[in-house]
Amino acid sequence: MSESHDLRLVENDHRYLWHPFTQMRAWLNDRPIIIERGEGNYLIDVHGQRFLDGVSSLWCNVHGHRKPELDQALIDQAKRIAHSTMLGLSNVPAIELGRQLIAVVPTGLKRVFYSDSGAEAVEVALRMAVQYWQLNGAAERKLFLTLTESYHGDTVGAASLGYSEVFHRYARPVLFPVLKTDPPLVFRLYRGLTAQDALAAALEAARALIERHREEIAALVIEPIVQGAAGMWTHPPEYLRQIVRLAREAGALVIFDEVATGFGRTGKMFACEHAQVTPDLLCLGKGITGGYLPLAATLATERIFNAFLGEPAEFRAFYYGHTYTGNPLAAAVAAANLKLFGDEAIIERIAPRIALLSRALDEEVATAPHVADVRQCGLMVGVELMRDVARGERYDIYRQMGTKVARAARNAGVLIRPLGDVVVLMPPLSINEAEIRHLVSAAGEAIRQVVAHDD
Ligand SMILES: Cc1ncc(COP(=O)(O)O)c(C=O)c1O
């Protein structure tokens, strides 16, 4: 691409666009990387420079970019129809995808409701839960229980559930109150308990809270095993099993948000398989299309679905939907994505790469100064930096350590995006051994450089 064309793109980006989660003043003073193409696990910018896609284009890419089977599915579907509505009609790819999804999700989930983003999948689940209780004569069940620092998206409902002071403080006046309980990591990392004591303390906190609101909880909403946007906060499967048991004993529904953890990211198709628990509602997004197109789904058990059945005049129907719900292009690609999981035995073949990632992290990242905690579950990694590891003292937020590390990694040809002082690595499932080594050594080197400079 010519220098003048590139300049024009930068100028037009700066003139016309407003980027998400971005302080635009800083953005306007910087020269952005502008992506033009993708190839396998690499993003290629307008100058032809290649970057390893270290966070799967915001945690959604699965098989790499330009995966021939997904490209083909998209082209084939485009030749038939790009979009028709699901309101009063159905379409071929949406039906086929529904069948395939029910075959791969945990047993008991029987119905698929489509939407367009992870936040919407969560919004749908919470609306279903609230309506479910009203339809069942228990309108007082309208509280949701979530984990501290959980993240479920940015619409008003999803932001209420996953309130984050940094992300959502200005929306606070319009958000609804939610019950929050601290997961084991809070007790272990920030309060100095052993892993075992932290688990016990977290469960006791959840038990006491649930007990206090026994009759009012509509649902427990939880990101199973890994709380992604919290900074890859992990909890042991036992925590998930027990908090689900406590919620169910109190009569509440259970909603799993697997928008980030679904589709193999934790080493199993769905993270809840680590604990062998099935929710009443399951939220999926991101990797559902292999990272190609906006599509999300909320899956429900027959118990939930049946509660909505009745005569039209009873108004039990779930009046909710978006224009592009069940979009045929997205559904066709998602169906091809699921087929690839079978054809290429993705889950069966991923364990050695997860183990290699773990070894590389031990050797090159855990040993770096100021690394307080390295959390890994499958191909989800969070490396927490602290100013004083021994004392558990965090860096001042204005130092933007995570951002600086991500910047430094760019020089080694790796694109990553941090969460505060947590350096996040979340490569596509298709990452190969050499690329894993490259990713981890670039991250380790970037951390060393940045912390040395900032000491
Ligand atoms: C667990 C979880 N839920 C929901 C969302 C929101 O998804 P989306 O950005 O597609 O609305 C995210 C996004 O990161 C997520 O990690």
Side-chain angles (χ1 to χ4, degrees):
M1 178 158 298
S2 73
E3 187 66 13
S4 67
H5 187 196
D6 173 40
L7 277 176
R8 210 164 45 245
L9 283 172
V10 173
E11 205 179 289
N12 286 340
D13 176 287
H14 281 172
R15 181 173 303 160
Y16 297 117
L17 302 189
W18 188 344
H19 288 259
F21 282 89
T22 301
Q23 175 41 258
M24 288 303 289
R25 176 173 288 167
W27 179 268
L28 294 175
N29 287 324
D30 203 359
R31 195 174 168 131
I33 293 177
I34 302 176
I35 299 301
E36 186 186 58
R37 287 178 294 133
E39 199 179 285
N41 302 315
Y42 286 84
L43 296 164
I44 304 166
D45 77 1
V46 288
H47 305 290
Q49 195 176 345
R50 296 163 66 84
F51 298 94
L52 185 59
D53 189 355
V55 286
S56 303
S57 293
L58 214 57
W59 311 359
C60 64
N61 192 278
V62 177
H63 311 284
H65 301 277
R66 300 296 319 278
K67 180 75 176 170
E69 291 85 346
L70 300 187
D71 287 2
Q72 197 57 51
L74 183 55
I75 292 164
D76 290 347
Q77 183 56 39
K79 287 182 184 161
R80 296 190 184 104
I81 187 167
H83 185 65
S84 63
T85 182
M86 290 282 284
L87 279 66
L89 293 175
S90 198
N91 72 68
V92 177
I95 296 170
E96 175 54 20
L97 175 61
R99 187 188 67 77
Q100 288 190 33
L101 278 171
I102 293 302
V104 294
V105 295
T107 322
L109 294 161
K110 294 277 177 29
R111 295 280 167 178
V112 180
F113 189 97
Y114 293 117
S115 56
D116 312 335
S117 67
E120 287 167 58
V122 171
E123 203 78 35
V124 166
L126 89 84
R127 291 274 293 271
M128 281 180 175
V130 168
Q131 184 167 340
Y132 172 87
W133 288 118
Q134 290 177 51
L135 295 175
N136 276 284
E140 67 285 359
R141 283 200 182 270
K142 54 183 188 224
L143 277 179
F144 288 87
L145 170 63
T146 69
L147 301 188
T148 307
E149 291 299 325
S150 67
Y151 177 77
H152 301 288
D154 289 323
T155 56
V156 166
S160 299
L161 295 180
Y163 181 75
S164 146
E165 190 60 23
V166 177
F167 296 164
H168 303 133
R169 69 172 81 180
Y170 294 107
R172 195 171 197 146
V174 296
L175 301 182
F176 57 78
V178 164
L179 302 174
K180 290 263 171 205
T181 189
D182 289 332
L185 180 133
V186 171
F187 294 93
R188 177 180 68 77
L189 193 61
Y190 303 127
R191 297 193 203 151
L193 269 57
T194 63
Q196 206 176 354
D197 289 350
L199 172 62
L203 283 171
E204 176 49 28
R207 192 203 57 74
L209 187 61
I210 291 171
E211 191 51 42
R212 272 204 302 285
H213 298 277
R214 231 187 139 70
E215 311 293 323
E216 303 160 282
I217 303 177
L220 163 71
V221 184
I222 187 167
E223 295 164 81
I225 308 296
V226 188
Q227 288 182 248
M232 300 297 150
W233 284 12
T234 50
H235 53 247
E238 185 59 12
Y239 178 70
L240 186 63
R241 266 193 294 274
Q242 294 300 334
I243 195 169
V244 165
R245 181 183 60 76
L246 291 167
R248 287 210 162 119
E249 278 174 7
L253 297 175
V254 173
I255 300 173
F256 285 169
D257 176 353
E258 293 235 23
V259 168
T261 52
F263 301 99
R265 205 63 69 171
T266 68
K268 295 198 184 283
M269 194 62 170
F270 299 101
C272 61
E273 294 172 26
H274 291 279
Q276 287 155 329
V277 277
T278 303
D280 301 289
L281 292 158
L282 174 67
C283 307
L284 302 175
K286 290 191 185 281
I288 191 171
T289 59
Y292 264 53
L293 287 161
L295 181 81
T298 306
L299 284 84
T301 58
E302 285 295 77
R303 170 192 167 199
I304 304 282
F305 177 76
N306 286 338
F308 290 71
L309 301 179
E311 295 307 315
E314 290 179 77
F315 293 103
R316 297 177 80 90
F318 189 51
Y319 286 107
Y320 185 103
H322 297 280
T323 305
Y324 285 102
T325 291
N327 173 258
L329 288 175
V333 175
N337 168 42
L338 282 183
K339 185 165 180 307
L340 278 173
F341 270 93
D343 291 354
E344 298 191 355
I346 305 281
I347 302 296
E348 295 75 2
R349 289 175 37 234
I350 202 153
R353 271 171 287 153
I354 292 171
L356 171 64
L357 177 60
S358 171
R359 282 198 303 279
L361 286 165
D362 280 350
E363 286 161 18
E364 304 206 38
V365 170
T367 50
H370 297 272
V371 169
D373 203 31
V374 180
R375 300 183 280 274
Q376 180 196 0
C377 182
L379 292 180
M380 299 176 84
V381 176
V383 180
E384 182 148 351
L385 306 178
M386 281 189 188
R387 201 167 85 84
D388 189 326
V389 175
R391 293 207 201 144
E393 217 176 275
R394 297 193 219 183
Y395 281 105
D396 287 328
I397 200 161
Y398 72 85
R399 292 176 97 177
Q400 300 203 297
M401 298 300 282
T403 306
K404 287 180 189 160
V405 170
R407 272 278 172 169
R410 272 189 198 179
N411 300 330
V414 167
L415 287 182
I416 50 178
R417 186 175 166 85
L419 289 157
D421 291 339
V422 177
V423 178
V424 172
L425 310 180
M426 194 153 156
L429 270 52
S430 53
I431 191 165
N432 67 30
E433 293 188 1
E435 290 163 348
I436 289 174
R437 289 201 184 88
H438 179 195
L439 174 66
V440 176
S441 70
E445 185 49 37
I447 290 170
R448 282 173 217 275
Q449 264 175 32
V450 169
V451 297
H453 195 259
D454 254 72
D455 254 345

